[in-house]
Amino acid sequence: MTQTVIWTVAILTVLGLLLSLLLFWVARKFRVEEDPRIDDIEKTLPGANCGGCGFAGCRAFADAAVKAGNLDANYCPVGGNEVMKRVAAILGCEVKEAPALVAVVRCNGSCANRPRCNIYEGERSCKVKAALYGGDTLCSFGCLGCGDCVAACQFGALSMNEESSLPEVDESKCTACGKCASVCPKRIIELRGKGPRGMREYVSCVNKDKGPVARKACAAACIGCGICVKTCQHSAIRLEDNVAYIDYSKCKLCRECEAVCPTGAIHGVNFPKPLDKEAVKKRIEERKAREKAAAETEKKEVNNG
């Protein structure tokens, strides 16, 4: 009996050693060499694993950057330009600076502007609510108010305003990861350029209904009148599907569009002084008068010539 036990232990020990050697050989034979720069880049990144870069996490981003050999198609919004410079140094390439972005809620549909006509008593989820019906008001494009964006933000940059029932963005905490924008079923959250000293203009509405219908649904809706488009000197505003949109890369922050908007759908934020609409409108009229006079003078010169 004792001899049987000894032989069993010996055989199992030898078998274990042989299998260990086999596994070691297989691991060495089929080992995949990984570029050490992947670890270096991963350590440089913020480690948020938020997916804002378009990859599953920071390591996936690092792997893609090393394989690409450049950063033309890769950018970490959480780390921003400073982190990307350090990543570029590791790769031995250059990276273009990207404008600082911030999440913007493009909806004017507060309780005061957009009265309720329905009562929802189901699951407190914008996704579920959007799948069931258009919302509690006549506007089927606006915020549903359940706070999916707030729950999705892992940086604490979003909160629901109890008075307006709309989400608000804390710019100091927003990293422009885009998670809030991706979970919003109504697509009212957009990543926009912060602008110089945080100043920016945007149309706070996505309602694509025609003017009278949009205005009936929300007192501060964009009615697609096009006045802002005609007023803008910099071709920064376009009108599509009955709603205006401001291209922040072209906007010069003159605030003329904000002054002439008849419904207040255009918002200017972080400006040092409140908007003096009458002064801006007077400036617009004076400019148009000068342009008209110049056109008439040019016409006379052409006729006389």
Side-chain angles (χ1 to χ4, degrees):
M1 182 66 179
T2 304
Q3 191 175 8
T4 303
V5 172
I6 293 173
W7 274 105
T8 301
V9 172
I11 292 171
L12 289 175
T13 302
V14 172
L15 185 61
L17 289 171
L18 289 173
L19 289 175
S20 299
L21 290 171
L22 179 63
L23 288 173
F24 176 76
W25 178 82
V26 170
R28 295 278 295 181
K29 181 72 175 177
F30 298 101
R31 181 177 61 183
V32 177
E33 295 289 343
E34 196 172 60
D35 195 315
R37 293 180 298 174
I38 295 176
D39 289 329
D40 294 338
I41 292 175
E42 184 183 16
K43 292 175 183 177
T44 303
L45 296 171
N49 294 310
C50 60
C53 58
F55 296 95
C58 293
R59 187 161 189 86
F61 172 89
D63 183 62
V66 169
K67 288 178 179 177
N70 58 63
L71 297 169
D72 294 345
N74 300 319
Y75 187 82
C76 172
V78 178
N81 292 322
E82 291 303 315
V83 167
M84 293 309 297
K85 286 178 182 177
R86 294 199 292 270
V87 172
I90 294 172
L91 292 175
C93 65
E94 294 183 356
V95 61
K96 295 180 180 178
E97 286 202 10
L101 302 177
V102 66
V104 172
V105 179
R106 294 185 59 207
C107 181
N108 269 323
S110 63
C111 297
N113 292 333
R114 191 176 50 150
R116 287 188 176 186
C117 58
N118 300 307
I119 297 177
Y120 175 76
E121 296 180 345
E123 176 70 21
R124 292 297 297 175
S125 165
C126 296
K127 184 177 180 181
V128 174
K129 195 173 182 179
L132 295 175
Y133 75 135
D136 300 334
T137 70
L138 293 175
C139 178
S140 59
F141 297 90
C143 178
L144 295 170
C146 293
D148 285 15
C149 53
V150 176
C153 181
Q154 63 189 81
F155 302 100
L158 277 163
S159 61
M160 294 300 296
N161 185 304
E162 294 183 2
E163 185 177 346
S164 65
S165 294
L166 293 172
E168 292 183 342
V169 180
D170 184 341
E171 296 180 23
S172 64
K173 296 179 180 179
C174 180
T175 61
C177 68
K179 204 69 174 286
C180 55
S182 66
V183 301
C184 178
K186 294 297 184 178
R187 297 292 182 264
I188 65 166
I189 301 180
E190 177 193 4
L191 296 181
R192 292 181 64 85
K194 279 188 174 181
R197 298 186 300 282
M199 297 184 295
R200 57 189 174 276
E201 292 273 353
Y202 65 96
V203 180
S204 186
C205 183
V206 296
N207 194 324
K208 297 179 181 179
D209 287 330
K210 291 186 177 180
V213 178
R215 188 65 183 269
K216 184 179 180 181
C218 178
C222 174
I223 56 177
C225 62
I227 295 176
C228 55
V229 178
K230 296 174 183 176
T231 301
C232 182
Q233 309 173 65
H234 313 290
S235 302
I237 309 177
R238 64 178 184 269
L239 191 64
E240 292 181 357
D241 296 325
N242 301 312
V243 62
Y245 180 81
I246 299 175
D247 184 344
Y248 66 83
S249 65
K250 297 179 181 179
C251 180
K252 303 302 181 184
L253 304 176
C254 65
R255 307 190 77 179
E256 291 185 356
C257 58
E258 185 183 355
V260 299
C261 179
T263 64
I266 299 178
H267 287 193
V269 295
N270 295 329
F271 285 91
K273 296 180 180 179
L275 176 65
D276 187 340
K277 288 188 177 183
E278 295 306 316
V280 175
K281 287 179 179 179
K282 184 178 179 181
R283 186 178 72 202
I284 294 171
E285 291 176 0
E286 291 174 349
R287 186 187 75 244
K288 287 183 177 180
R290 289 195 301 270
E291 290 174 352
K292 184 178 179 181
E296 290 177 352
T297 301
E298 184 179 353
K299 184 177 180 181
K300 289 179 180 178
E301 290 177 351
V302 171
N303 292 334
N304 293 332

